[in-house]
Amino acid sequence: MTAHVTSPDRLSHARKAAAEAGVDALLITPGPDLRWLTGYDALPLERLTCLVLPSDGDAFLLAPRLEVPAVHASPAGSLDLEVVGWAETEDPYATLVRRLPGARRVGLANHMWAEQVLRFREALPDADQTLASGVLRDLRMRKSPEEVDALRRAGGAIDRVHRRMPEFLRPGRTEREAGREIARAILDEGHVSVDFVIVASGPNGASPHHDLSDRVLAAGDPVVIDIGGTTAEGYCSDSTRMYTLGEPPSEFSAYFRVLHEAQLAACDQVRPGVSAESVDAAARTVITEGGFGDAFIHRTGHGIGVESHEDPYIVAGNATPLEPGMAFSIEPGIYLEGRHGARIEDIVVCTEDGVERLNTTDRDYLVLEA
Ligand code: ZN
Ligand code: ZN
């Protein structure tokens, strides 16, 4: 099994960023920030597991004693990181606070459970609480070459599932039946978990986040297939392609051309220095000029890494300039309520002089046997 992609540098970069942001300590409970910082994919449990990263001291990982072997078996075990096991009858919050005297401002993992946020408020009554993303967002958003490699492999894995779609989509089967086999293929083709499977046939295609239903696939249906998983390296895939069972309605083919052109225009816009929102505008302009502006009802994309949705968001209002290493989706859609819909989605990465697409299957819709 391939190990999580991680690096000891992340802890020191995060500590430095915390100091610059005036945060005395980051408190990181299980979730994407902990995975990114240490490679430890901890179970989210009621028992407290928390990475403590003081801005001017050594990091340590507080974990229930029974979880300590799992910490050592994870990539966190090979980092220079003290692991503090707490006993079943001990108050872990008190243990943690004793080691953080005088903290005035703490950064909490964005995915921390509310009950833990409140326990920390009680245990550190003089400390302001803020979100760890204020410190970690910029670090996680610019992917290292190793992270881009991991995302490239995740992209290849989901592309292999799309190439197998003729096995799964046939008239007479339900979306759920097809979805079950697609989920198995996501695991077979190089992921360790299935994050989502959208099989949106016919009118269901007009709902961007429709997942699976008992609707029976029928001849003439356009079908939106949006699938993603997480690889053993800890990085996510996400790609949407369109399939039709036999020839689709002519109305569909007409707006699909507009969508295809919009997706291309947005990809062409990506290079260092342009804003995230200008990539959204590039897709939106084509769709609006094609007469379907009201049918493109979501942002153009989202960042991706150890989470399938993270910064940067490709949306009007986000003036963040793109930088090499930023990875995100470009996924414009056109949705006609009650009829059908279409979306094309690639993960792309901003390079030194332009863009690399991490999904490389044909972007045209694929006509399957009906
Ligand atoms: Zn998607
Ligand atoms: Zn997506």
Side-chain angles (χ1 to χ4, degrees):
M1 183 168 142
T2 335
H4 263 256
V5 170
T6 186
S7 146
D9 296 344
R10 293 185 190 171
L11 289 174
S12 56
H13 291 158
R15 183 185 302 121
K16 191 162 162 266
E20 282 164 9
V23 171
D24 297 320
L26 293 174
L27 302 177
I28 308 295
T29 45
D33 287 333
L34 184 64
R35 292 203 303 275
W36 185 80
L37 283 161
T38 68
Y40 178 38
D41 189 6
L43 287 172
L45 298 169
E46 74 293 354
R47 293 187 178 98
L48 182 69
T49 291
C50 187
L51 172 72
V52 183
L53 198 63
S55 58
D56 66 348
D58 289 333
F60 62 95
L61 182 67
L62 187 72
R65 199 167 280 169
L66 75 164
E67 300 294 338
V68 169
V71 176
H72 286 301
S74 81
S78 53
L79 297 175
D80 184 18
L81 179 66
E82 184 191 359
V83 180
V84 180
W86 59 270
E88 200 75 327
T89 55
E90 194 178 333
D91 174 1
Y93 295 87
T95 304
L96 188 151
V97 165
R98 269 197 301 279
R99 297 181 57 135
L100 264 188
R104 307 293 301 189
R105 193 169 160 78
V106 290
L108 307 182
N110 288 44
H111 291 234
M112 186 181 283
W113 290 1
E115 64 179 74
Q116 297 169 331
V117 174
L118 298 180
R119 290 291 298 274
F120 276 121
R121 181 162 287 164
E122 275 172 37
L124 290 162
D126 298 328
D128 286 338
Q129 295 184 335
T130 183
L131 289 174
S133 57
V135 173
L136 298 177
R137 174 183 184 269
D138 281 0
L139 297 175
R140 281 184 46 187
M141 191 161 63
R142 295 190 209 100
K143 269 70 183 176
S144 68
E146 292 73 25
E147 291 185 284
V148 172
D149 281 345
L151 283 168
R152 197 179 283 121
R153 285 188 283 271
I158 210 68
D159 284 358
R160 291 195 292 278
V161 181
H162 271 297
R163 288 196 188 94
R164 289 179 54 188
M165 214 47 68
E167 291 175 40
F168 313 128
L169 300 181
R170 287 195 296 276
R173 320 183 82 186
T174 66
E175 292 176 353
R176 207 177 300 285
E177 285 163 345
R180 206 172 290 139
E181 292 185 10
I182 294 167
R184 199 173 308 131
I186 291 174
L187 297 176
D188 289 346
E189 297 296 347
H191 300 83
V192 293
S193 66
V194 178
D195 295 335
F196 50 88
V197 176
I198 294 176
V199 179
S201 63
N204 292 338
S207 167
H209 278 174
H210 172 82
D211 53 0
L212 298 170
S213 78
D214 293 318
R215 184 180 184 278
V216 176
L217 305 183
D221 278 351
V223 187
V224 183
I225 301 289
D226 185 351
I227 49 180
T230 303
T231 67
E233 295 181 299
Y235 284 76
C236 298
S237 65
D238 183 4
S239 175
T240 309
R241 291 292 183 264
M242 292 302 306
Y243 300 85
T244 67
L245 298 175
E247 284 306 323
S250 57
E251 173 190 46
F252 172 85
S253 326
Y255 72 74
F256 184 87
R257 295 293 140 222
V258 175
L259 179 66
H260 196 284
E261 197 191 319
Q263 210 265 356
L264 189 66
C267 285
D268 284 348
Q269 173 68 11
V270 176
R271 59 189 174 277
V274 308
S275 66
E277 65 184 351
S278 75
V279 177
D280 179 84
R284 207 164 296 278
T285 300
V286 173
I287 291 176
T288 303
E289 285 173 0
F292 294 96
D294 290 342
F296 179 17
I297 53 178
H298 54 69
R299 65 191 176 209
T300 292
H302 53 82
I304 189 166
V306 298
E307 277 183 281
S308 47
H309 285 197
E310 58 180 51
D311 285 305
Y313 292 97
I314 308 302
V315 62
N318 184 6
T320 303
L322 298 181
E323 293 177 46
M326 287 185 180
F328 47 88
S329 71
I330 292 188
E331 51 176 311
I334 292 176
Y335 307 97
L336 303 188
E337 214 184 321
R339 312 221 288 277
H340 32 66
R343 179 164 67 254
I344 304 171
E345 175 180 26
D346 288 320
I347 301 305
V348 304
V349 58
C350 181
T351 62
E352 292 294 336
D353 54 5
V355 65
E356 177 188 347
R357 292 187 190 242
L358 304 187
N359 298 106
T360 58
T361 59
D362 193 352
R363 282 161 207 97
D364 207 344
Y365 63 83
L366 182 66
V367 180
L368 301 175
E369 252 173 72

